[in-house]
Amino acid sequence: MDIDISFAEAVLRRGAGLLEAEAGEAGSDPFAVLARLLAAAAATDAPLVVLSEGGSHPALFDEANRRAGEPLTARLAGLAATRQSERAAMYEFDGTGPLTGNRIVAALLRPEDRPDLLHVYIAVGRLRGGEAQITVPPALLRFDAAALGQTLGLLGDAVSRSANAATAALAHAAAIMPMEGHEEGGMPAALLDLYWHALTLASMRADGGQDRGLATMTPEGSA
């Protein structure tokens, strides 16, 4: 078992190596494309904040796991409040259910100077000999928290009463886009849940995690 390097660090190392190589070396491998993108964000828009489950802020992940068990109708308001002050942030945690045994990296990047507009990337894999090995090809979810908030305002109480209305509101604010080299097709439910979990983590940092001071937490590391 690799314990001297985190999965997130292995992803960034892979990307740093690709930055130093020829521009086209990443090719159409979606993981290589993602690793290079994250390394570029760290190099040009540093710091890239890294927060890890099992690190110095367990309350963030504990509370996110609790909220993940709530109905979607109860979680929408929190997702609509998602904001990120940094250009990029990474969350690393253990997979559960069908993804048990995998390590998850959720990377949230702001493509514009809007804290409420995020691109979410999920990398699922393991460490082998200090190298990150991907077990599920990554894809991109574009999430517009402001659009979700506007939709919730229009729908009113219907969202809290109807799971269909809640799902429709979320679909209006989010779109999953295959990355280069990624076959377009159905998204496994376990993987789709990871996107909402990543946004829950980000929204908790934005609102302070129910007055627990999580919004001002010191990250475990940065790149």
Side-chain angles (χ1 to χ4, degrees):
M1 181 178 179
D2 296 279
I3 58 174
D4 294 331
I5 180 175
S6 71
F7 185 61
E9 186 177 355
V11 172
L12 289 171
R13 285 187 181 182
R14 170 82 181 275
L18 290 169
L19 283 179
E20 297 175 355
E22 293 295 326
E25 190 168 316
S28 61
D29 173 14
F31 173 50
V33 172
L34 171 57
R36 193 176 191 279
L37 180 68
L38 292 173
T44 59
D45 296 307
L48 187 156
V49 172
V50 180
L51 292 160
S52 180
E53 185 178 29
S56 57
H57 302 291
L60 174 69
F61 293 90
D62 290 346
E63 180 67 10
N65 288 332
R66 186 194 67 78
R67 292 192 188 186
E70 296 178 344
L72 178 60
T73 52
R75 286 184 281 141
L76 277 188
L79 291 175
T82 302
R83 300 292 185 272
Q84 180 167 288
S85 59
E86 306 92 359
R87 178 65 69 174
M90 293 174 70
Y91 301 88
E92 182 178 353
F93 48 92
D94 285 324
T96 59
L99 296 176
T100 298
N102 290 280
R103 193 70 170 167
I104 315 297
V105 164
L108 285 72
L109 280 71
R110 279 184 15 227
E112 303 173 15
D113 289 328
R114 275 184 54 190
D116 55 7
L117 180 63
L118 293 170
H119 282 181
V120 186
Y121 301 86
I122 301 291
V124 181
R126 302 182 181 92
L127 280 175
R128 289 294 181 271
E131 295 290 330
Q133 294 183 351
I134 294 300
T135 55
V136 179
L140 160 66
L141 181 140
R142 179 180 172 89
F143 178 74
D144 190 328
L148 177 58
Q150 292 168 0
T151 302
L152 295 182
L154 291 172
L155 294 177
D157 292 342
V159 176
S160 62
R161 298 193 306 267
S162 168
N164 287 336
T167 301
L170 195 56
H172 177 70
I176 292 179
M177 296 174 281
M179 295 172 64
E180 182 180 355
H182 187 286
E183 294 290 337
E184 184 169 6
M187 180 65 63
L191 186 58
L192 186 58
D193 285 345
L194 293 175
Y195 288 100
W196 310 136
H197 192 65
L199 289 167
T200 297
L201 286 162
S203 68
M204 288 180 55
R205 289 187 66 213
D207 70 13
Q210 295 183 341
D211 299 323
R212 297 185 188 183
L214 298 177
T216 56
M217 67 179 70
T218 302
E220 278 89 31
S222 61

